[in-house]
Amino acid sequence: MLREKLNWTTQKSESTDAGHRGGTLCSSDEAAVMAVERRKRVVQRKHVGQPQWEEPMSQAKPFEINKHDVFNAWRQVKANRGAHGIDEQTITEYEGSLKDNLYKLWNRMSSGSYVPPAIRGVEIPKRDGKMRLLGIPTVSDRIAQTVVRNLFEKQVEPDFHPDSYAYRRGKSALDAVRVTRRRCWQYNWVLEFDIKGAFDNIDHELMLKAVRHHTNCPWTLLYIERWLKAPMLMTNGQTVARDKGTPQGGVISPLLFNLYMHYTFDHWMKSYYPDVPFVRYADDGLLHCRSEREVIVLQLAIGERFLNCHLELHPTKTNIVYLIHYSLDGLSGNISVSKAVPQKQRNGYEDSQNGSQTGYFIGSWDYCQRLNSRSRMT
């Protein structure tokens, strides 16, 4: 009789907050999307005509993916906005059928049947006039990548080097610039490097080897491999297969790139050159050396290391820099000045007071300029 009296729907006056009853806290929006089932003293929430986020025991999924993780991933994707993928579905359109869309995504990911769609290839101009190729996933795929990223990030982040600054919580390009400026007063020689086409040349086998070193979660491994190999649909309608690289524009790509560079460079430096301080921001890096011989030997060693990992130093953006430190007497006391002079200009350097300015103040030379520009974009 009690069941007949209750219509099993939550009235407007009823609270969806389970915190005071010892249950799991969730927002009203989350409860509506996930169709949370409430028993005993809590009224069970139903939505007529829409599938429920509840699976019979006989239909248990091979992968245990928490529904709350999917919903939280959706909230992150919505907050970040972003462009549409190959299906041209916007964030607003996806939200129009949010419950059905999230259930479908969770169901496919939990069953192992989720196959990422092709990513949309978009070219944007770079500072040097060349074009950068981005790979834009669909809204649904960005949510799926966020679910995996959030889990995998917790497993790899503790192992990352403290002087790796890109795409990490609590770190920024300005932090890298600050550390670099301080160290430039302690070392006279600097090697700054850039990697040519870094994201586009990641080796998939080495990448997956690094992933397996940090996790044995079957669905994490499955979907990361599928994302690495997802094809790209170009603007001319051509679908391009991908056997290397991780697309810039993907949610999980920055984390995977950092992991790849951790073993390619950060961990390698710590093992073979522990006394050489460095900072790295994505594919840009800077190392501090004590002598010209040391910096030249290090450049050759890094170049060989990158080639062994299927990467290449950029020929024009990799430079050896000699730092000149001196003091000037000013009205307010001693003013410390540090100048950076590219190696090719070092022999012909003259003091700026004599009219020649071949050097750059620390904080204004190329590496710091790139970091500052990146910090404005993040």
Side-chain angles (χ1 to χ4, degrees), residues 19 26 41 120 160 266 318:
C26 61
R41 295 175 57 194
R120 182 168 67 95
F160 283 165
D266 303 349
T318 299

Side-chain angles (χ1 to χ4, degrees), residues 238-269:
Q238 180 183 5
T239 300
V240 179
R242 297 173 48 253
D243 56 3
K244 64 178 181 178
T246 180
Q248 294 189 66
V251 174
I252 202 170
S253 292
L255 180 62
L256 294 180
F257 182 80
N258 258 350
L259 180 61
Y260 194 89
M261 288 303 299
H262 172 74
Y263 288 107
T264 299
F265 179 74
D266 303 349
H267 188 268
W268 178 80
M269 283 292 299

Side-chain angles (χ1 to χ4, degrees), residues 29-62:
D29 290 340
E30 182 177 357
V33 171
M34 311 198 73
V36 178
E37 304 242 349
R38 314 237 175 175
R39 294 178 175 82
K40 295 183 180 180
R41 295 175 57 194
V42 184
V43 178
Q44 188 179 31
R45 193 179 186 88
K46 290 287 185 179
H47 294 270
V48 179
Q50 297 185 7
Q52 304 302 306
W53 281 57
E54 188 70 21
E55 291 294 311
M57 292 299 293
S58 60
Q59 299 182 18
K61 305 298 183 184

Side-chain angles (χ1 to χ4, degrees), residues 120-348:
R120 182 168 67 95
V122 178
E123 289 187 332
I124 61 173
K126 299 169 63 175
R127 290 190 307 165
D128 58 5
K130 298 180 180 179
M131 303 300 290
R132 184 190 307 277
L133 181 62
L134 301 182
I136 311 300
T138 63
V139 175
S140 183
D141 195 43
R142 294 209 294 274
I143 298 172
Q145 290 191 34
T146 303
V147 172
V148 176
R149 191 274 312 275
N150 289 346
L151 173 66
F152 190 52
E153 185 177 44
K154 297 176 183 178
Q155 298 171 303
V156 299
E157 175 63 30
D159 292 332
F160 283 165
H161 196 282
D163 281 321
S164 169
Y165 291 90
Y167 319 122
R168 299 181 66 185
R169 302 178 192 274
K171 291 180 177 289
S172 70
L174 292 180
D175 294 326
V177 171
R178 191 178 301 112
V179 171
T180 298
R181 285 174 174 169
R182 185 180 71 249
R183 289 174 177 169
C184 281
W185 292 103
Q186 304 168 11
Y187 298 86
N188 287 334
W189 292 90
V190 165
L191 170 63
E192 59 167 342
F193 70 81
D194 181 276
I195 303 175
K196 183 179 180 180
F199 277 80
D200 299 331
N201 290 293
I202 295 296
D203 182 80
H204 286 177
E205 290 302 317
L206 292 179
M207 181 78 263
L208 291 173
K209 181 179 179 180
V211 172
R212 295 187 193 102
H213 182 74
H214 289 270
T215 183
N216 58 1
C217 176
W219 54 274
T220 296
L221 295 170
L222 174 67
Y223 292 128
I224 286 179
E225 182 172 6
R226 289 181 180 178
W227 281 315
L228 287 174
K229 298 179 179 180
M232 179 178 290
L233 180 63
M234 307 304 293
T235 54
N236 60 5
Q238 180 183 5
T239 300
V240 179
R242 297 173 48 253
D243 56 3
K244 64 178 181 178
T246 180
Q248 294 189 66
V251 174
I252 202 170
S253 292
L255 180 62
L256 294 180
F257 182 80
N258 258 350
L259 180 61
Y260 194 89
M261 288 303 299
H262 172 74
Y263 288 107
T264 299
F265 179 74
D266 303 349
H267 188 268
W268 178 80
M269 283 292 299
K270 182 180 178 180
S271 299
Y272 292 95
Y273 299 93
D275 297 328
V276 177
F278 70 88
V279 296
R280 182 180 62 81
Y281 193 91
D283 56 349
D284 289 319
L286 185 145
L287 304 90
H288 301 269
C289 300
R290 296 175 178 83
S291 66
E292 183 176 14
R293 175 180 174 80
E294 182 181 38
V295 73
I296 292 175
V297 170
L298 196 56
Q299 181 180 14
L300 294 175
I302 292 175
E304 182 179 357
R305 171 63 178 175
F306 282 178
L307 288 176
N308 290 336
C309 297
H310 306 274
L311 298 176
E312 180 184 357
L313 287 174
H314 197 289
T316 61
K317 296 181 181 180
T318 299
N319 299 296
I320 292 177
V321 178
Y322 178 67
L323 306 179
I324 295 179
H325 310 274
Y326 60 94
S327 297
L328 298 175
D329 291 327
L331 295 177
S332 59
N334 292 331
I335 302 175
S336 296
V337 178
S338 180
K339 289 200 168 187
V341 185
Q343 186 189 33
K344 61 184 178 181
Q345 299 175 348
R346 181 169 58 86
N347 294 332

